[in-house]
Amino acid sequence: MIANPITWPDGARCAVAMTWDMDADSAFNWYNQNTADNLVAAQSWTRYDPLIAIPRLVDQFARRDLHLTFFVPGWVIEKYPAQIDLLLKNGHEIALHGYLHERSNEIDKDDELYWLGRGLEAYRKHVGAGPRGWRAPSFAFSKHSLRYLLDAGFEYDSSLMGDDIPYALKEGNASLLEFPVDWTLDDFPHYAHNRDLGYRMPISSPQRAMEVFRSEFDAAWEFGALWISVWHPALSGRLARFRAVLELLDYMRAKGGVWFARLDQVCDHVQKLMAGGRWTPRCETMPLYQSPLPEFSKDHRGAGTHGTTGSAHC
Amino acid sequence: MIANPITWPDGARCAVAMTWDMDADSAFNWYNQNTADNLVAAQSWTRYDPLIAIPRLVDQFARRDLHLTFFVPGWVIEKYPAQIDLLLKNGHEIALHGYLHERSNEIDKDDELYWLGRGLEAYRKHVGAGPRGWRAPSFAFSKHSLRYLLDAGFEYDSSLMGDDIPYALKEGNASLLEFPVDWTLDDFPHYAHNRDLGYRMPISSPQRAMEVFRSEFDAAWEFGALWISVWHPALSGRLARFRAVLELLDYMRAKGGVWFARLDQVCDHVQKLMAGGRWTPRCETMPLYQSPLPEFSKDHRGAGTHGTTGSAHC
Amino acid sequence: MIANPITWPDGARCAVAMTWDMDADSAFNWYNQNTADNLVAAQSWTRYDPLIAIPRLVDQFARRDLHLTFFVPGWVIEKYPAQIDLLLKNGHEIALHGYLHERSNEIDKDDELYWLGRGLEAYRKHVGAGPRGWRAPSFAFSKHSLRYLLDAGFEYDSSLMGDDIPYALKEGNASLLEFPVDWTLDDFPHYAHNRDLGYRMPISSPQRAMEVFRSEFDAAWEFGALWISVWHPALSGRLARFRAVLELLDYMRAKGGVWFARLDQVCDHVQKLMAGGRWTPRCETMPLYQSPLPEFSKDHRGAGTHGTTGSAHC
Amino acid sequence: MIANPITWPDGARCAVAMTWDMDADSAFNWYNQNTADNLVAAQSWTRYDPLIAIPRLVDQFARRDLHLTFFVPGWVIEKYPAQIDLLLKNGHEIALHGYLHERSNEIDKDDELYWLGRGLEAYRKHVGAGPRGWRAPSFAFSKHSLRYLLDAGFEYDSSLMGDDIPYALKEGNASLLEFPVDWTLDDFPHYAHNRDLGYRMPISSPQRAMEVFRSEFDAAWEFGALWISVWHPALSGRLARFRAVLELLDYMRAKGGVWFARLDQVCDHVQKLMAGGRWTPRCETMPLYQSPLPEFSKDHRGAGTHGTTGSAHC
């Protein structure tokens, strides 16, 4: 089922990276720039994340000796430094998630770079050194993002959706690893209902949502994939849902053969495989398109060229 | 799982406040100010609440000796006085829910105060004394709301979403208690489908909806939280759904160790714990923001200050 | 659970009126007046109703000796006369459902009357005599509708949502019976997904949808209510769903004590109860509002009158 | 349940055509003509289809000796020729699905013809000969489409939704076969959640989605219908979902009496039945409407003609 199978440490059948996007009130502010100060219930809802859920997650994962990756915007690092310290002290990875949860593909490229700089500055000031990993806020990876990430020294990204296992993104002579996600393993489609967030999904019970996450895990386990959740403390960190998360962890452990890892550990593992010549990732040359498709321009019609837009493979 | 655990009376494991928002036709009128007079099916749907469901609820809860909190807009008190009397006579608490289900964070602050005054006037005229509790219609709590509520002498609010147990909201030297809710325990995401209400959710069976409410209860029971439903008589008071509500009550009672309470009773309990120095609520200083984030202003960029916006804790 | 209980013939515990809205391509044309001619897939989807589903329903209900009410727009009567004849010949009731599935509360009152006239003309020409019953297309009953229906001699309406059992609508000295519906027993929230219809619900399996319909039936059976489905042949008449409908019928029959009836038979029954003084329906005086609420007018604020808008009861 | 029953080869009880729409990044580009170059996560998501899912599907179907129909836009044929070769070599049918997934009923008729020409050119250049079958991208079949398809020599279409078994579409003296679909057997309503695609459905687990697909199959099996899925490799080709697809195939095989076929084989079969006089399809004369309904024109009202818009049957 997987064309280019990868091996996991100690013969594990699959890798599980239970990652969390600790957005706190950043995304909500980005999407409501002129009104967020007046949306007090939504403020409180978004701050359940750092104030209530993060200490809970840290405590429970410590009891299970689990070390996970948290994607955090720079502004959140600045606003909630104690929580960042708590995460770091407990062996969790802090990866970068923009500065103010900016949608990079809806702003111009200079602004994208500006916010990236702010995010890096906040990260370095508090966490030290630079982040190894990036997830584009709202998955809004732009055609400029890869270049910026390579220039900033990122080693991996986890925003794209093109595979079930790690692959590589290349631009010019440089490349980084992509640890792909999918909306299926995001918790928003299952739980998010809040007028001020512009999301009104029917709210699943934790049991129904876990059916989805567990079926993805079972398939990853059977076929050797990398399972990456994109969960939000304000949603999946609530009592009933988090209890179901812990039960899913029990289920995974009982099944056995699972490598639980932070994404920086996945990165180390893949880099080592590559250095040893034991595995080569599929590689995509970016950007795929430099501009909108010429086929949509009426002028283009006479030209008779059905211009393909660059090879997609390295 | 809960960082600042609270004790409940008689050693109960959790508190259950099954609260109802008796909106009748107020919210529907607010959201359709120019057309509501012509939306007759929606009128009839919203009036199922006072005319059919409220007497049913009163009767069934009386048989079970249950006393609950109903949040009612002032305009509804004026329009349906017999129902208010029936609720009061049966030991239910009437708390205030605006005047015409106004969205306070979408109107200016003078208008917010105007409607609050109308609500208080209606409440005092019919119920006597002032209300102890408030829930912002549509959870649309504004940055001015807390000040207004403190000035009006409210002792608790139940509109915000920042915790699993009571906490405190402070502005200046005054504070009140917050009994937090969440969309998960609202019935709109599970049942509301009505073009004229601007809601088109897939409609869950009562069994599926109860999976959600019960899983939240089971977690509250396990971890000692305060479970607060936000139900609407026109939705959850229909025959099939209300039968499921009664079954959920049976389930809760059979499980045991549950303190069923009105929110004014929860308020009394928490105030007593605090007065006795036996428990201190987490406290949030409000408002969190006085204006939109300065980070979004391009002028701000040169300033080099990453202005945090005030401490969030008391 | 029901404040004003009604008795059903032969001591039945509840009444089941499985009604169908045979919209064919009328509603789709109304909602897409300028583009419907070019939406060929949606045309075909809407015509599954008269061309495929109606003969199927007629055949299957004949085998079960069931006689049901079909609400049909006048334009559909004109376009599909053979199907109307088939329904009539098999003992089904044809009630009126507008002319072109017009939304009466979004057009002016003269237009509403014009379309009603067209509907009546089409009905009388093909069916003979006038219809006894009406369902407003899209439940879009306007504040003028009751007056028009009374003038036209209708004996019942089935568009409003204010109760679980029949009630009466009164304007001036005249009144008719209301057989109330609810979106819960409509099949659109469960099955409708079609971009051209402006509906994109997640599609339930027949089993999940039947959970909803059956739970409403079980409650109607337990408490003595009138269960009325609002189903559409293009949705619930498809093979898999219709098989589930037939299984629901089997379930109802096996449970026993169910009076299966057309709405004209329900009308006869209620009229007889009333004439014999054995039951009096709850009565609502209409229209509830003559205009938008005066509370929304700023001029109104000084007036100090909290004008209630007329009594709602007869 | 089926008025005009058809027989299937070897006495099979039903026909199953598990068809896939291999859109790759075409539809996404069509719907985001000005921004698609900057929506990199959506690009990666759409390219999971050709790069990951298609080889997986080909491999797994080869193991099961299954030969299916893939609907592919011409632009996708040009961009992913290796995948097309792989499909062809494994005995799958390539049918045409537009050029750039254009919505034919939202562009003018000359543009529709232009894109059709581009699609045919791409098809013939790579696949050889012309395609026998067509599915309108987004089911956006226009009132001109049938004429164009007949002129281009198509033998069947699979875009409309008017029956459970094959039927015929006739315009003038020419006709082709229609193999009808329905949104119920599309995977978008069950799985699609992606802001950049403008779709935000709650995501079902594979088990829940299969309940829907299987219930449709069970009904097709019981009543002799033609079951046609409209699945997308980027959705249903993911690991967990595709495993459920394979389980559904096992279920179908275990049940027995199923004719698994490509749509060109269904076409051959039906043509043979017709040539032998053993079965006559229901026939619809097209287009149903030449223009918007005259009933909506106020001028029309005085005319007294309730113009029906042409016969719908041949």
Side-chain angles (χ1 to χ4, degrees):
Chain A
M1 297 279 275
I2 290 182
N4 181 30
I6 186 172
T7 54
W8 301 112
D10 300 324
R13 297 191 58 131
C14 67
V16 162
M18 189 182 273
T19 74
W20 297 79
D21 288 2
M22 183 192 169
D23 294 338
D25 35 343
S26 63
F28 153 72
N29 266 292
W30 182 265
Y31 281 108
N32 298 280
Q33 298 190 8
N34 298 316
T35 56
D37 59 317
N38 217 15
L39 304 175
V40 177
Q43 289 167 15
S44 69
W45 187 88
T46 58
R47 280 157 50 85
Y48 184 98
D49 166 345
L51 302 183
I52 307 301
I54 288 292
R56 173 178 301 157
L57 271 61
V58 167
D59 176 47
Q60 294 294 323
F61 293 142
R63 293 164 189 244
R64 286 162 179 79
D65 201 28
L66 273 173
H67 310 289
L68 309 181
T69 298
F70 288 77
F71 288 93
V72 190
W75 183 86
V76 174
I77 296 173
E78 292 171 353
K79 293 259 296 184
Y80 302 97
Q83 282 82 344
I84 303 303
D85 291 340
L86 189 64
L87 287 164
L88 289 170
K89 199 166 45 185
N90 280 272
H92 299 294
E93 176 192 13
I94 306 292
L96 197 59
H97 194 43
Y99 180 70
L100 243 166
H101 211 278
E102 61 275 9
R103 276 188 79 86
S104 297
N105 60 15
E106 291 182 355
I107 54 179
D108 72 36
K109 64 182 198 166
D110 292 338
D111 280 347
E112 177 177 359
L113 190 57
Y114 166 78
W115 292 115
L116 175 60
R118 292 283 297 268
L120 287 167
E121 183 189 347
Y123 188 97
R124 290 188 188 120
K125 188 176 288 182
H126 193 87
V127 183
R132 298 179 66 187
W134 170 264
R135 177 169 292 153
S138 301
F139 305 132
F141 200 100
S142 85
K143 64 183 171 187
H144 308 289
S145 300
L146 180 57
R147 168 54 46 215
Y148 292 156
L149 296 177
L150 291 169
D151 289 349
F154 282 92
E155 296 175 64
Y156 75 83
D157 171 72
S158 183
S159 316
L160 305 189
M161 306 178 178
D163 211 329
D164 309 296
I165 54 169
Y167 61 110
L169 305 180
K170 185 176 176 186
E171 185 160 355
N173 292 320
S175 68
L176 53 70
L177 289 170
E178 175 61 40
F179 301 144
V181 294
D182 191 84
W183 279 97
T184 313
L185 285 173
D186 192 303
D187 51 7
F188 262 66
H190 307 289
Y191 293 143
H193 187 108
N194 191 315
R195 184 192 287 253
D196 297 324
L197 300 181
Y199 246 91
R200 291 208 284 190
M201 308 307 297
I203 296 178
S204 289
S205 69
Q207 294 83 344
R208 299 289 150 195
M210 289 300 146
E211 268 186 25
V212 179
F213 303 143
R214 196 174 55 234
S215 72
E216 292 281 317
F217 164 73
D218 286 336
W221 188 89
E222 186 171 349
F223 303 117
L226 169 59
W227 183 98
I228 302 177
S229 64
V230 181
W231 290 346
H232 300 81
L235 287 172
S236 292
R238 282 180 58 82
L239 289 172
R241 291 170 187 154
F242 191 56
R243 197 169 70 150
V245 166
L246 297 176
E247 288 166 5
L248 178 64
L249 282 170
D250 291 344
Y251 172 83
M252 290 171 165
R253 287 212 154 138
K255 194 156 184 170
V258 179
W259 182 46
F260 292 95
R262 296 187 315 249
L263 286 181
D264 59 352
Q265 295 169 320
V266 175
C267 190
D268 287 341
H269 171 69
V270 175
Q271 287 172 344
K272 216 177 300 172
L273 287 180
M274 292 167 66
R278 285 178 287 148
W279 186 72
T280 304
R282 187 171 67 84
C283 173
E284 296 224 12
T285 298
M286 310 272 284
L288 185 61
Y289 308 115
Q290 294 284 3
S291 61
L293 290 190
E295 285 86 341
F296 294 124
S297 154
K298 290 234 172 183
D299 296 343
H300 178 72
R301 294 191 180 178
T305 68
H306 306 157
T308 53
T309 49
S311 159
H313 292 277
C314 315
Chain B
M1 298 278 274
I2 289 182
N4 181 31
I6 185 173
T7 55
W8 301 113
D10 300 324
R13 298 191 56 130
C14 66
V16 163
M18 189 181 275
T19 74
W20 297 77
D21 288 2
M22 183 192 168
D23 294 338
D25 35 344
S26 63
F28 153 72
N29 266 291
W30 183 267
Y31 282 108
N32 299 279
Q33 298 189 9
N34 299 315
T35 56
D37 59 316
N38 217 14
L39 303 175
V40 178
Q43 289 167 15
S44 69
W45 187 88
T46 59
R47 281 159 48 85
Y48 184 98
D49 167 345
L51 302 182
I52 306 301
I54 288 292
R56 172 178 302 156
L57 270 61
V58 167
D59 175 47
Q60 294 295 320
F61 293 142
R63 293 164 190 243
R64 286 161 180 79
D65 200 28
L66 273 173
H67 310 288
L68 310 180
T69 297
F70 288 76
F71 288 93
V72 190
W75 183 85
V76 174
I77 295 173
E78 291 171 353
K79 293 259 298 184
Y80 302 97
Q83 281 82 344
I84 302 304
D85 291 340
L86 189 64
L87 287 164
L88 289 170
K89 199 166 45 185
N90 280 272
H92 299 293
E93 176 192 13
I94 306 293
L96 197 60
H97 194 44
Y99 180 70
L100 243 166
H101 211 278
E102 60 277 8
R103 275 188 80 86
S104 297
N105 60 15
E106 291 182 354
I107 54 180
D108 71 35
K109 65 182 199 166
D110 292 338
D111 280 347
E112 178 178 358
L113 189 58
Y114 166 78
W115 292 116
L116 175 60
R118 291 282 298 267
L120 287 167
E121 183 190 346
Y123 188 98
R124 289 185 189 121
K125 188 176 288 182
H126 193 87
V127 183
R132 298 180 65 188
W134 170 265
R135 177 169 292 153
S138 302
F139 306 132
F141 199 101
S142 85
K143 63 184 170 187
H144 307 289
S145 300
L146 180 58
R147 168 55 45 215
Y148 291 157
L149 296 177
L150 290 170
D151 290 348
F154 282 92
E155 297 175 64
Y156 75 84
D157 172 70
S158 184
S159 315
L160 305 190
M161 306 179 179
D163 211 329
D164 309 296
I165 55 169
Y167 60 110
L169 305 180
K170 185 176 177 187
E171 185 160 355
N173 292 318
S175 68
L176 53 69
L177 289 170
E178 175 61 40
F179 301 144
V181 294
D182 190 84
W183 280 97
T184 313
L185 285 173
D186 192 303
D187 51 9
F188 262 65
H190 307 288
Y191 293 143
H193 188 109
N194 190 315
R195 183 193 287 252
D196 297 326
L197 300 181
Y199 247 90
R200 291 209 282 189
M201 307 307 296
I203 295 178
S204 290
S205 70
Q207 294 82 345
R208 299 289 150 195
M210 288 300 146
E211 267 186 27
V212 179
F213 303 143
R214 197 174 54 235
S215 72
E216 291 281 319
F217 164 74
D218 286 336
W221 189 90
E222 186 171 349
F223 304 117
L226 169 58
W227 182 98
I228 302 178
S229 65
V230 182
W231 290 345
H232 299 82
L235 287 173
S236 292
R238 283 181 57 83
L239 289 172
R241 292 169 186 155
F242 191 57
R243 197 170 69 151
V245 166
L246 297 176
E247 288 167 6
L248 178 64
L249 281 170
D250 291 343
Y251 173 83
M252 290 171 166
R253 287 210 154 138
K255 196 157 184 170
V258 178
W259 182 45
F260 292 94
R262 297 186 315 248
L263 286 181
D264 58 352
Q265 294 169 321
V266 176
C267 191
D268 287 341
H269 172 69
V270 175
Q271 287 172 343
K272 216 177 300 170
L273 287 180
M274 292 168 67
R278 286 178 286 147
W279 186 73
T280 303
R282 187 172 66 84
C283 173
E284 295 223 14
T285 297
M286 309 273 285
L288 184 61
Y289 309 116
Q290 293 285 2
S291 62
L293 291 189
E295 285 85 343
F296 294 123
S297 156
K298 291 233 172 181
D299 297 342
H300 178 71
R301 294 192 180 178
T305 66
H306 306 156
T308 52
T309 49
S311 158
H313 292 277
C314 314
Chain C
M1 298 279 273
I2 290 182
N4 181 30
I6 186 172
T7 54
W8 301 113
D10 299 324
R13 297 191 58 129
C14 67
V16 163
M18 189 181 274
T19 74
W20 297 77
D21 288 2
M22 183 192 169
D23 295 337
D25 34 344
S26 63
F28 153 73
N29 266 292
W30 183 266
Y31 282 108
N32 300 279
Q33 298 189 9
N34 299 315
T35 57
D37 59 316
N38 217 15
L39 303 175
V40 177
Q43 288 166 15
S44 69
W45 187 88
T46 58
R47 281 160 48 85
Y48 185 98
D49 166 345
L51 303 183
I52 307 300
I54 288 293
R56 172 179 301 156
L57 270 61
V58 167
D59 176 47
Q60 294 295 322
F61 294 141
R63 293 163 190 243
R64 286 160 179 81
D65 200 28
L66 274 174
H67 310 288
L68 309 181
T69 298
F70 288 76
F71 289 93
V72 189
W75 184 84
V76 174
I77 296 173
E78 291 171 353
K79 292 258 298 183
Y80 303 97
Q83 282 82 343
I84 302 304
D85 290 340
L86 189 63
L87 287 164
L88 289 170
K89 199 166 46 186
N90 280 272
H92 299 294
E93 176 192 13
I94 306 292
L96 197 59
H97 194 43
Y99 180 69
L100 243 166
H101 211 277
E102 61 276 9
R103 276 187 81 86
S104 297
N105 60 16
E106 291 182 353
I107 55 179
D108 71 37
K109 65 181 199 167
D110 291 338
D111 280 348
E112 177 178 356
L113 189 57
Y114 166 79
W115 291 116
L116 175 60
R118 291 283 298 266
L120 286 167
E121 184 190 345
Y123 188 97
R124 289 186 187 120
K125 188 176 289 184
H126 193 86
V127 183
R132 298 180 64 188
W134 169 264
R135 177 170 293 154
S138 302
F139 305 131
F141 199 100
S142 85
K143 64 183 169 187
H144 308 289
S145 299
L146 180 57
R147 167 53 46 215
Y148 292 157
L149 296 177
L150 290 170
D151 290 348
F154 282 92
E155 296 175 65
Y156 75 83
D157 172 71
S158 184
S159 315
L160 305 190
M161 306 178 179
D163 211 329
D164 308 296
I165 55 170
Y167 61 111
L169 305 180
K170 185 175 177 187
E171 184 160 357
N173 293 318
S175 68
L176 52 69
L177 289 170
E178 175 61 41
F179 301 143
V181 294
D182 190 84
W183 280 97
T184 313
L185 285 172
D186 192 303
D187 51 8
F188 262 66
H190 307 288
Y191 293 143
H193 189 107
N194 190 315
R195 185 193 286 252
D196 297 325
L197 299 182
Y199 246 92
R200 291 208 282 189
M201 307 308 296
I203 296 177
S204 290
S205 69
Q207 293 83 343
R208 300 287 150 197
M210 288 300 146
E211 267 186 26
V212 178
F213 303 143
R214 197 175 53 235
S215 72
E216 292 281 318
F217 165 74
D218 286 336
W221 189 89
E222 186 171 348
F223 303 116
L226 169 58
W227 182 98
I228 303 178
S229 65
V230 181
W231 290 346
H232 300 81
L235 287 173
S236 292
R238 284 180 56 83
L239 289 172
R241 291 169 188 156
F242 191 56
R243 197 170 68 151
V245 166
L246 297 177
E247 288 167 5
L248 178 64
L249 281 170
D250 292 345
Y251 172 84
M252 289 170 165
R253 287 213 154 136
K255 195 156 184 172
V258 179
W259 182 45
F260 293 94
R262 295 186 316 246
L263 286 181
D264 58 352
Q265 294 169 320
V266 176
C267 190
D268 288 341
H269 171 69
V270 176
Q271 288 172 342
K272 215 176 301 171
L273 287 180
M274 292 166 67
R278 286 178 287 148
W279 186 73
T280 304
R282 187 172 66 85
C283 173
E284 296 224 13
T285 298
M286 310 273 286
L288 184 61
Y289 309 115
Q290 293 284 1
S291 61
L293 290 190
E295 285 85 341
F296 294 123
S297 155
K298 291 233 172 182
D299 297 342
H300 179 71
R301 292 190 181 179
T305 67
H306 307 156
T308 52
T309 49
S311 158
H313 291 277
C314 313
Chain D
M1 298 277 275
I2 290 183
N4 181 30
I6 186 172
T7 54
W8 301 113
D10 300 324
R13 298 192 57 131
C14 67
V16 163
M18 189 182 274
T19 74
W20 297 78
D21 288 2
M22 183 193 169
D23 294 338
D25 35 343
S26 63
F28 153 73
N29 266 292
W30 183 267
Y31 282 108
N32 299 280
Q33 298 190 8
N34 298 315
T35 56
D37 59 316
N38 217 15
L39 304 175
V40 177
Q43 289 166 15
S44 70
W45 187 88
T46 59
R47 279 157 51 84
Y48 185 98
D49 166 345
L51 303 183
I52 306 301
I54 287 293
R56 172 179 301 156
L57 270 61
V58 167
D59 176 47
Q60 294 294 322
F61 293 142
R63 293 166 189 241
R64 286 163 179 79
D65 200 28
L66 273 174
H67 310 288
L68 309 181
T69 298
F70 288 77
F71 288 93
V72 190
W75 183 85
V76 174
I77 296 174
E78 291 171 354
K79 292 260 297 183
Y80 303 97
Q83 281 83 343
I84 303 304
D85 290 340
L86 189 64
L87 287 164
L88 289 169
K89 199 166 47 186
N90 279 273
H92 300 294
E93 177 191 12
I94 307 292
L96 198 59
H97 194 44
Y99 180 70
L100 244 166
H101 211 278
E102 61 275 9
R103 275 188 81 87
S104 297
N105 60 15
E106 292 183 354
I107 54 179
D108 72 35
K109 65 182 199 166
D110 291 338
D111 281 347
E112 177 178 358
L113 190 57
Y114 166 78
W115 292 116
L116 175 60
R118 292 283 296 267
L120 287 167
E121 183 190 345
Y123 187 98
R124 289 186 188 119
K125 189 176 287 182
H126 193 86
V127 182
R132 298 179 66 187
W134 170 265
R135 177 169 293 153
S138 302
F139 305 132
F141 199 100
S142 85
K143 64 184 170 187
H144 307 289
S145 300
L146 179 59
R147 169 53 45 214
Y148 291 157
L149 296 177
L150 290 170
D151 289 348
F154 282 93
E155 295 175 65
Y156 75 84
D157 171 72
S158 183
S159 316
L160 305 189
M161 306 178 179
D163 211 329
D164 309 296
I165 55 170
Y167 61 109
L169 305 180
K170 186 176 178 187
E171 185 161 356
N173 292 319
S175 69
L176 52 69
L177 289 170
E178 175 61 40
F179 301 143
V181 293
D182 189 84
W183 279 98
T184 312
L185 285 173
D186 193 302
D187 51 9
F188 262 66
H190 307 289
Y191 293 143
H193 188 108
N194 190 314
R195 184 193 286 254
D196 297 324
L197 299 181
Y199 246 92
R200 291 208 283 190
M201 308 307 297
I203 296 178
S204 290
S205 69
Q207 293 83 343
R208 299 288 151 196
M210 288 301 146
E211 267 186 26
V212 179
F213 303 143
R214 196 174 55 236
S215 73
E216 292 281 318
F217 164 74
D218 285 336
W221 188 89
E222 185 171 349
F223 303 117
L226 169 58
W227 182 100
I228 302 177
S229 64
V230 182
W231 290 346
H232 299 82
L235 287 173
S236 292
R238 283 180 57 82
L239 289 172
R241 292 170 187 154
F242 192 55
R243 197 169 70 151
V245 166
L246 297 177
E247 288 167 6
L248 178 64
L249 281 170
D250 291 344
Y251 172 84
M252 289 170 165
R253 286 211 155 139
K255 196 157 183 170
V258 178
W259 182 46
F260 293 94
R262 297 186 315 247
L263 286 181
D264 58 353
Q265 294 170 321
V266 175
C267 191
D268 287 341
H269 171 69
V270 175
Q271 288 172 342
K272 216 177 301 172
L273 287 181
M274 291 166 67
R278 286 179 286 149
W279 187 73
T280 304
R282 186 171 67 83
C283 173
E284 295 223 15
T285 298
M286 310 273 284
L288 184 61
Y289 310 115
Q290 293 285 3
S291 60
L293 290 190
E295 286 85 342
F296 294 123
S297 155
K298 291 234 172 183
D299 296 342
H300 178 71
R301 294 191 179 177
T305 67
H306 307 154
T308 53
T309 49
S311 159
H313 292 276
C314 314

